[in-house]
Amino acid sequence: MDTLAEVPQSALSGVARVLVHAGKLTSKVAEDLVRSAKEKRSSFVAAVISAGAVSPADLAHTLSSALALPLLDLAAIDPQRLPRSIIDAKLAAQYQVVVLGKRGSRLFVGGADPTDQEAVERIKFATQLSPEWVIVEHDKLAKLLEISGTSASEALEALAASDFEFDVTDDVTSQPEQAEATSEVEDAPIVRFLQKMLVDAINARASDLHFEPFEYHYRVRFRIDGELREITQPPIAIKEKLASRIKVISRLDIAEKRIPQDGRMKLKFGNKAIDFRVSTLPTLFGEKIVIRILDPSSAKVGIDALGYEKIEKDRLLKTIQRPYGMVLVTGPTGSGKTVSLYTCLNILNQPGVNISTVEDPAEINLPGVNQVNVNDKAGLTFAAALKSFLRQDPDIIMVGEIRDLETADIAIKAAQTGHMVMSTLHTNDAPTTLTRLANMGVAPFNIASAVLLITAQRLARKLCENCKAPADYPREAMIKAGFKPEDLDGTWKPYRAIGCSACNNGYKGRVGIYQVMPISEDIQRIILSAGTAMDIAAQARREGVRDLRESGLLKVRSGMTTLDEVISVTNE
């Protein structure tokens, strides 16, 4: 019998080494089976079983004993009671695994090859859970997967068409190349697959869809509540047709695959229409496509639904009603700045008010608001649009982002000459926004006289009301996170995420965390004396302005989110 030490390390690994060490195979037979598996592009376990070298039951018992892993007889399991939505059927079939159950952050996975680290990593990445292996017999697993799943091509063919249509207003068949390409991508399975992905994304409350080509596989992921989750792995052969289909309905140049492109498309559900912003990016193995879902109703949910505390909401509403000045919303990409600005514009959008916006690009269509898209190639920059706005008799101006000194100067001058100006900046909190403007080159006097209020914000995941449970955090950890000792009076308890069929790992939806800082006379004096962001923050605290962490802790206290989530999104 060969010993484990005698087996060449380069030739054998994983299950092969275990079987040789257990005396089930000689090293020569194991090497031959490894070579056969590579030639047939199958797993080593499948090669061992098909060659009759080791029976499925013997293999399972040997692996269980050698690796100290639990053994489960799948014949005793009702397939209908197994969870199916945790990992995609394509992923399960690719790695020959079955999900047996979930407990907290642990995912129990049944498989015949527990040494397959690639499978563990892929499942961990797709589910954000920690897989724990349970040994099952290969033949019973194959039968179970055959019953519960279908091949990728069959799944594509089986997709049912949905009752909606794409709104393509431009004549995409006016050019011969476009006409030829359009006929190529009117492939029914591709059309239905794209429609299903968009509908699934909307139903899952996703903000973005990612279509990603790699060397040997194609991946579709949704961003749900700020987190990317793998949804499916369609056949890699569809990547070209799928990209062409998306380009056609987004009115992009389908013949151009060397440079990034941006476009839009619209989906009609009866009386409701949802816009999508499309971005393509050439990668090593094809074009990656990201589709952002732009739901116009998100700007009409009302300010109360955004998560402002009463004092913060009152400060904001009072300021935007003033006839002139500047209101700035700050935060990183994806923190909800645009929705906050559109919510304010929706409140101010009255028949007697002239509102103009310049954005890159305009994400949500607001009837009654004059919206302009930046076009750098044509010379229509933020600064150029702002100059034109001032000749258009505006009452309210919204600038998508202040990126440079020219845009900042024009926006501040507009705020000083009788216009309400709203805009965004990418800064960490409200006090640093003022020093960022000064660093751009804006004169301190202009900053102090024009800026009325700054809102810094983050988005935190909301706890699922169906499954959240009380959490026991150590008192020291609570105080270290920012709670005062008097806050921990026992009249309330924090909650933790559990996870159920109605949510995403214990969370469902997101809520805003805000720092709303009015520019008081004392803060103006600090600005004029070239004070630092720390000086401004200290004065704001004296005036009762909560920082982002304090606002987040209020959400923890109300049971809206977890302490871990607040620490994660406010950890500057």
Side-chain angles (χ1 to χ4, degrees):
M1 182 183 75
D2 293 302
T3 65
L4 189 60
E6 292 170 344
V7 181
Q9 294 291 329
S10 59
L12 303 178
S13 62
V15 175
R17 285 170 54 82
V18 172
L19 293 178
V20 171
H21 183 56
K24 301 295 181 181
L25 297 176
T26 65
S27 58
K28 176 67 171 63
V29 171
E31 289 172 14
D32 290 342
L33 289 172
V34 168
R35 195 175 302 109
S36 174
K38 286 182 179 179
E39 291 172 355
K40 296 178 180 178
R41 293 189 176 183
S42 67
S43 69
F44 175 76
V45 170
V48 169
I49 301 298
S50 61
V54 182
S55 70
D58 192 11
L59 174 62
H61 280 87
T62 301
L63 292 175
S64 175
S65 176
L67 302 175
L69 290 172
L71 177 65
L72 177 69
D73 184 4
L74 284 178
I77 299 295
D78 181 2
Q80 299 302 319
R81 302 190 65 178
L82 291 174
R84 294 170 182 249
S85 59
I86 297 179
I87 66 172
D88 177 64
K90 174 69 165 56
L91 187 64
Q94 180 180 354
Y95 291 105
Q96 292 290 290
V97 294
V98 61
V99 174
L100 302 172
K102 172 188 167 189
R103 182 176 299 167
S105 62
R106 300 157 67 197
L107 185 68
F108 298 98
V109 178
D113 184 358
T115 65
D116 189 347
Q117 285 302 310
E118 182 182 349
V120 172
E121 293 302 321
R122 287 296 308 281
I123 294 169
K124 186 176 182 179
F125 181 79
T127 63
Q128 298 299 304
L129 299 171
S130 298
E132 295 195 11
W133 215 272
V134 177
I135 305 293
V136 296
E137 295 173 34
H138 181 269
D139 55 343
K140 294 178 181 177
L141 174 62
K143 288 180 182 178
L144 180 64
L145 290 173
E146 187 178 351
I147 294 171
S148 61
T150 58
S151 70
S153 58
E154 289 171 335
L156 273 177
E157 294 290 348
L159 292 174
S162 304
D163 57 345
F164 60 83
E165 60 179 356
F166 289 103
D167 180 21
V168 184
T169 54
D170 291 359
D171 183 8
V172 297
T173 60
S174 57
Q175 298 177 4
E177 311 89 44
Q178 292 284 75
E180 181 182 349
T182 302
S183 64
E184 284 182 6
V185 300
E186 291 301 330
D187 185 288
I190 299 295
V191 172
R192 290 200 292 269
F193 176 72
L194 176 59
Q195 291 177 337
K196 184 179 189 308
M197 287 297 97
L198 294 174
V199 172
D200 286 351
I202 293 168
N203 291 336
R205 310 177 316 279
S207 60
D208 302 85
L209 298 86
H210 293 241
F211 296 88
E212 301 168 308
F214 297 97
E215 186 172 8
Y216 299 114
H217 70 282
Y218 193 77
R219 180 173 69 182
V220 180
R221 293 191 291 173
F222 293 172
R223 187 175 293 279
I224 303 172
D225 295 337
E227 287 193 335
L228 276 173
R229 297 199 66 184
E230 183 170 321
I231 301 302
T232 185
Q233 286 194 25
I236 194 169
I238 76 168
K239 67 178 183 180
E240 298 292 345
K241 287 187 176 181
L242 183 60
S244 296
R245 173 65 181 167
I246 293 173
K247 284 183 174 181
V248 164
I249 57 182
S250 306
R251 299 182 279 279
L252 299 177
D253 183 356
I254 60 176
E256 181 57 78
K257 301 178 182 180
R258 300 165 298 173
I259 60 174
Q261 296 186 69
D262 294 300
R264 296 176 74 97
M265 61 187 182
K266 181 176 288 187
L267 204 63
K268 290 184 177 179
F269 286 88
N271 296 326
K272 185 178 181 181
I274 295 179
D275 288 311
F276 298 86
R277 190 177 74 201
V278 179
S279 173
T280 71
L281 179 70
T283 68
L284 284 177
F285 304 107
E287 288 181 286
K288 176 185 177 182
I289 300 176
V290 176
I291 300 178
R292 166 69 58 89
I293 300 175
L294 308 172
D295 189 352
S297 62
S298 62
K300 301 176 183 178
V301 295
I303 196 166
D304 292 323
L306 298 183
Y308 285 93
E309 300 294 334
K310 186 179 186 308
I311 187 171
E312 296 163 346
K313 180 182 73 172
D314 292 344
R315 285 173 183 161
L316 180 60
L317 291 178
K318 180 181 177 182
T319 303
I320 64 174
Q321 297 292 345
R322 291 176 62 172
Y324 58 88
M326 177 179 280
V327 173
L328 295 172
V329 180
T330 75
T333 301
S335 60
K337 300 186 298 294
T338 301
V339 171
S340 293
L341 280 179
Y342 273 106
T343 300
C344 292
L345 290 180
N346 200 49
I347 293 170
L348 299 171
N349 188 13
Q350 303 295 329
V353 178
N354 180 16
I355 303 176
S356 296
T357 75
V358 54
E359 302 163 75
D360 185 20
E363 293 192 358
I364 299 172
N365 179 29
L366 271 184
V369 174
N370 305 289
Q371 296 173 276
V372 175
N373 274 340
V374 165
N375 187 339
D376 289 325
K377 290 182 180 178
L380 182 56
T381 62
F382 281 116
L386 271 172
K387 289 177 182 176
S388 297
F389 284 173
L390 296 178
R391 296 190 289 271
Q392 291 278 321
D393 186 30
D395 297 304
I396 299 168
I397 296 171
M398 196 270 270
V399 185
E401 183 183 350
I402 293 178
R403 297 176 178 172
D404 51 51
L405 176 59
E406 184 182 13
T407 305
D409 271 337
I410 299 171
I412 282 180
K413 287 173 183 175
Q416 292 172 326
T417 55
H419 307 92
M420 171 56 69
V421 179
M422 299 180 184
S423 187
T424 70
L425 268 87
H426 289 275
T427 56
N428 289 333
D429 58 14
T432 56
T433 304
L434 296 169
T435 54
R436 169 75 187 280
L437 288 172
N439 291 337
M440 278 186 181
V442 181
F445 172 80
N446 287 334
I447 298 173
S449 62
V451 181
L452 301 177
L453 178 138
I454 301 172
T455 296
Q457 66 182 72
R458 300 288 188 276
L459 287 178
R461 292 178 295 170
K462 290 173 66 176
L463 277 166
C464 173
E465 294 295 331
N466 293 332
C467 64
K468 69 179 184 180
D472 291 320
Y473 292 106
R475 182 181 177 86
E476 295 76 16
M478 301 278 280
I479 292 175
K480 185 178 180 181
F483 282 108
K484 299 175 182 176
E486 56 267 27
D487 294 333
L488 308 177
D489 54 9
T491 60
W492 61 278
K493 282 190 72 68
Y495 286 86
R496 59 188 175 93
I498 299 296
C500 66
S501 59
C503 66
N504 181 24
N505 293 331
Y507 296 96
K508 187 175 183 180
R510 291 194 287 178
V511 65
I513 296 174
Y514 302 93
Q515 178 187 28
V516 180
M517 186 181 80
I519 307 303
S520 64
E521 291 183 1
D522 288 331
I523 292 179
Q524 286 177 334
R525 279 192 281 271
I526 295 173
I527 296 170
L528 292 171
S529 62
T532 66
M534 289 185 290
D535 297 330
I536 296 169
Q539 179 59 36
R541 185 181 293 275
R542 286 192 289 271
E543 295 174 5
V545 176
R546 299 187 188 97
D547 62 22
L548 288 166
R549 174 61 64 86
E550 290 171 330
S551 295
L553 294 179
L554 288 178
K555 299 292 190 291
V556 174
R557 185 165 182 164
S558 65
M560 195 171 293
T561 189
T562 63
L563 182 61
D564 294 334
E565 180 71 6
V566 168
I567 291 173
S568 174
V569 300
T570 62
N571 189 20
E572 304 299 346

